[in-house]
Amino acid sequence: MDQPACPADQLHQVRERIDSIDMELMRLISERARCAQEVGRIKNALAGPAGALPAPSPEEGPVQYYRPEREAAILRRIKEKNPGPLDGEEVARLFREIMSACLALEQPMRAAYLGPAGTFTQAAALKQFGHSVHTIAMATIGEIFREVEAGSCDYGVVPVENSTEGVISHTLDMFLASPLLITGEVSLRIHHHLMSREADTTTIGTLYSHQQSLAQCRGWLDRYLPQAQRVAVGSNAEAARLASQEAGSAAVAGLPAAEIYGLTVLAQSIEDEPGNTTRFLVIGPKDAPSSGQDKTSLLISCRNASGGLHALLSPLAQHGIDMTRIESRPSRRGIWDYVFFIDIIGHRADPKVAEALEHLKQASLLFKVLGSYPVAVL
């Protein structure tokens, strides 16, 4: 009788199989990359020498290298068809990076984010576009909008709301005057960490962080760091930079900031709510075609009269449109005059949604579609 293979031989055989699979994966990825190069060549030909001629399809308009609706559909299909044992989210993240690298062969892409390097906004940009995108740090949310409007960046990524502290009002206010549209959304699980050059918390007299992060960690800070003066700065990465330069100081930020600025993490995951999540919006000059699972964001205002908001929202209820969010902001046109930011399920090209929006437009004093875009996949 044949003797069973010993464990060392079995391990060698499995490793040889892994090596063979790796070579096949490399061959297939390279083939996909060559297809991406061909797509880029065809799109460049469609765009013409100056990149200004429209594509043949009038629905698509000028040539688009990044297609958020197509990427979302591919990632959903990957998650649905995933046979395991890897988790669907993990497999989708792998494919995101492959698509990111292939897209860079078609057309290098620039995405503006709220800097400096190491912020959660940069992490959201990388989650949306993959690590082959060229991320460009901006000092303020307003600068992100301006750079994308000017065409210096293809897209921008801005925070819009946090599950603990609510809406980021500055982002909403920018949409009042900006022509940019929402082309995507990113949800990012937020973990805050205490980091410093100091060896322990007893010598920390000053604590830097973004005001939202300070609020999200208020309970922990009250309990374990009551002696430190809390100073709000423009971003968590800026807080880490300051803490790296000042003795007796610390920052609340994400792990990438600790690595970038050479800080020691003294306490991990100090956020008060374990499900702390921030939603980011991707902004660009054009929103996305329908992906099959989409949202539409609106900016509207109603007459300042009894039942005005009820009358304004009635078309959504009458057409069975699901409203997922509503926020009010001062309109800046008069005292106690407000506008409403609304998210609904569905694409504005969907017949039912289009009909509801037409009725909504007729009932509104101000009506603006901020964009239709795929529901976040990752």
Side-chain angles (χ1 to χ4, degrees), residues 16-178:
E16 284 190 333
R17 185 180 177 194
I18 288 174
D19 290 344
S20 176
I21 292 172
D22 286 344
M23 292 300 100
E24 180 64 11
L25 283 174
M26 185 167 63
R27 185 189 69 79
L28 292 173
I29 291 173
S30 297
E31 184 177 345
R32 192 189 196 284
R34 285 189 289 271
C35 288
Q37 287 179 315
E38 181 66 9
V39 168
R41 186 193 65 77
I42 295 170
K43 287 183 176 180
N44 287 334
L46 290 172
L53 296 179
S57 170
E59 291 80 11
E60 292 188 2
V63 169
Q64 299 290 310
Y65 291 92
Y66 172 63
R67 298 297 300 267
E69 81 288 354
R70 173 162 168 77
E71 287 203 0
I74 291 173
L75 293 177
R76 289 190 197 115
R77 185 168 66 247
I78 292 299
K79 292 175 71 175
E80 292 169 1
K81 302 294 184 180
N82 172 42
L86 288 177
D87 179 79
E89 292 283 327
E90 292 295 334
V91 174
R93 276 192 282 271
L94 290 173
F95 272 82
R96 165 68 81 200
E97 292 302 328
I98 293 173
M99 290 190 291
S100 176
C102 289
L103 179 61
L105 293 175
E106 293 184 38
Q107 179 74 22
M109 193 162 55
R110 300 155 299 174
Y113 70 94
L114 186 60
T119 62
F120 290 116
T121 313
Q122 185 183 32
L126 295 174
K127 183 177 181 181
Q128 175 71 10
F129 296 110
H131 283 71
S132 294
V133 69
H134 183 199
T135 56
I136 301 174
M138 297 294 157
T140 66
I141 290 174
E143 286 186 21
I144 296 173
F145 275 80
R146 285 190 290 273
E147 288 298 302
V148 179
E149 288 174 13
S152 300
C153 291
D154 301 297
Y155 295 94
V157 179
V158 291
V160 68
E161 62 179 329
N162 176 263
S163 60
T164 303
E165 292 300 309
V167 69
I168 289 85
S169 57
H170 190 190
T171 296
L172 295 185
D173 290 343
M174 290 300 302
F175 283 110
L176 287 169
S178 176

Side-chain angles (χ1 to χ4, degrees), residues 324-342:
T324 60
R325 185 176 71 99
I326 181 169
E327 298 283 349
S328 65
R329 292 291 300 157
S331 68
R332 301 182 179 179
R333 298 176 302 180
I335 298 175
W336 313 127
D337 187 26
Y338 290 87
V339 294
F340 297 92
F341 293 86
I342 295 174

Side-chain angles (χ1 to χ4, degrees), residues 180-208:
L180 296 180
L181 297 173
I182 302 169
T183 189
E185 65 171 358
V186 187
S187 290
L188 192 67
R189 178 72 173 83
I190 303 297
H191 292 292
H192 293 301
H193 310 288
L194 180 70
M195 57 193 67
S196 177
R197 290 166 48 193
E198 304 298 319
D200 58 66
T201 60
T202 58
T203 56
I204 295 173
T206 305
L207 178 67
Y208 296 105

Side-chain angles (χ1 to χ4, degrees), residues 246-314:
E246 298 181 14
S249 66
V252 173
L255 287 178
E259 297 171 3
I260 291 171
Y261 297 103
L263 298 174
T264 300
V265 176
L266 302 180
Q268 295 188 14
S269 300
I270 65 172
E271 61 274 6
D272 296 331
E273 295 294 332
N276 188 31
T277 301
T278 295
R279 179 179 176 232
F280 299 82
L281 297 178
V282 182
I283 54 174
K286 182 179 179 181
D287 61 356
S290 176
S291 72
Q293 297 181 36
D294 303 285
K295 285 183 181 178
T296 296
S297 293
L298 309 170
L299 170 62
I300 61 175
S301 67
C302 61
R303 294 174 178 82
N304 190 8
S306 177
L309 182 58
H310 178 270
L312 190 65
L313 298 180
S314 292

